[in-house]
Amino acid sequence: QKEVEQNSGPLSVPEGAIASLNCTYSDRGSQSFFWYRQYSGKSPELIMSIYSNGDKEDGRFTAQLNKASQYVSLLIRDSQPSDSATYLCAACPMDTGRRALTFGSGTRLQVQP
Amino acid sequence: ETGVTQSPTHLIKTRGQQVTLRCSSQSGHNTVSWYQQALGQGPQFIFQYYREEENGRGNFPPRFSGLQFPNYSSELNVNALELDDSALYLCASSLAGLRDASYEQYFGPGTRLTVT
């Protein structure tokens, strides 16, 4: 069973702090990784993708990938109450062109004003 | 807004009935994937369509079927509905091809299906 694991939370951080969200995956064939944000009652929204080991920064968001440890993380700097949502980690194998995403169950983030 | 649209927004069906959900992909995208999201869970891959053919299937029974049309829009059909089919059904559009560099999938707003 190819799995993506996330701590369900809730992760509570004060406004302005750094929120750190973590994800591990079991399929070593996974090559592409994504972070989605999902507000309650809404569909997932893609916020970051990462394909290579190391860090990738986009505004207040930094994704980190360590394929040797099978570990992906998302850092949110200067957290805002509007960042309160469930964050889904997804992995995608690079095989035969099929791009089926395997999702974790998500981590609920609460940013306290 | 991703440019991916789905209809209907909400649907209530009775156990044993059949349902068809529709999705229009983002302009320029040629691949549609369908996911089922139960409450409190991450989306689960149902199947993917690329150039009007099924291009991979998750662990769902044959009563879940689909189509992709020449304009890349897609349908998800579910026969013999069961109570456990109640979920948010999401379609995601992406671009696949020889030189595409992105595996990014963009979700539509979803269809909330309730089976009673």
Side-chain angles (χ1 to χ4, degrees), chain B residues 7-83:
Chain B
S7 63
T9 305
H10 295 90
L11 204 52
I12 300 175
K13 289 287 190 178
T14 303
R15 191 172 55 182
Q17 287 187 314
Q18 177 265 343
V19 68
T20 298
L21 311 181
R22 295 178 175 82
C23 170
S24 291
S25 59
Q26 185 179 116
S27 177
H29 282 183
N30 57 12
T31 301
V32 172
S33 304
W34 286 92
Y35 294 83
Q36 179 196 66
Q37 187 176 25
L39 204 58
Q41 301 297 314
Q44 297 290 314
F45 175 72
I46 302 175
F47 43 55
Q48 182 180 91
Y49 279 85
Y50 171 62
R51 293 184 174 177
E52 302 178 58
E53 293 197 359
E54 189 178 288
N55 182 40
R57 188 180 185 90
N59 190 26
F60 280 81
R63 60 189 185 85
F64 286 78
S65 63
L67 284 172
Q68 187 180 34
F69 300 100
N71 66 354
Y72 305 123
S73 66
S74 178
E75 286 183 354
L76 164 66
N77 299 290
V78 187
N79 294 322
L81 284 167
E82 300 177 359
L83 297 179

Side-chain angles (χ1 to χ4, degrees), chain A residues 32 34 36 38 41-46 48-49 51 56 88 92-94 96-106, chain B residues 33 35 37 40-43 45 48 55-58 88 90 96-97 100-110 112:
Chain A
S32 309
F34 306 90
Y36 286 83
Q38 186 171 27
K42 301 294 186 182
S43 64
E45 172 193 8
L46 180 64
M48 288 288 286
S49 59
Y51 307 104
K56 178 182 177 182
L88 297 163
C92 182
M94 186 185 287
T96 66
R98 190 188 88 162
R99 296 171 177 83
L101 298 179
T102 299
F103 283 87
S105 295
Chain B
S33 304
Y35 294 83
Q37 187 176 25
Q41 301 297 314
F45 175 72
Q48 182 180 91
N55 182 40
R57 188 180 185 90
L88 179 67
L90 298 160
D100 77 290
S102 170
Y103 296 85
E104 296 177 349
Q105 296 188 15
Y106 298 89
F107 284 93
R112 174 74 60 187

Side-chain angles (χ1 to χ4, degrees), chain A:
Chain A
Q1 181 79 9
K2 300 174 181 178
E3 294 183 346
V4 174
E5 300 286 345
Q6 295 181 258
N7 188 318
S8 62
L11 172 66
S12 186
V13 301
E15 184 174 355
I18 296 175
S20 178
L21 304 161
N22 305 313
C23 167
T24 59
Y25 61 95
S26 62
D27 181 12
R28 286 198 173 272
S30 297
Q31 295 291 329
S32 309
F33 303 88
F34 306 90
W35 284 98
Y36 286 83
R37 177 175 62 198
Q38 186 171 27
Y39 293 113
S40 181
K42 301 294 186 182
S43 64
E45 172 193 8
L46 180 64
I47 54 173
M48 288 288 286
S49 59
I50 187 165
Y51 307 104
S52 304
N53 279 328
D55 295 359
K56 178 182 177 182
E57 187 175 318
D58 184 0
R60 296 187 296 114
F61 299 99
T62 298
Q64 300 174 318
L65 173 60
N66 183 326
K67 290 184 179 179
S69 301
Q70 296 177 245
Y71 178 89
V72 192
S73 66
L74 179 70
L75 301 178
I76 306 174
R77 289 181 298 282
D78 188 23
S79 295
Q80 300 297 310
S82 60
D83 294 325
S84 298
T86 296
Y87 289 79
L88 297 163
C89 173
C92 182
M94 186 185 287
D95 66 345
T96 66
R98 190 188 88 162
R99 296 171 177 83
L101 298 179
T102 299
F103 283 87
S105 295
T107 298
R108 189 156 61 95
L109 173 66
Q110 295 177 339
V111 181
Q112 306 295 337

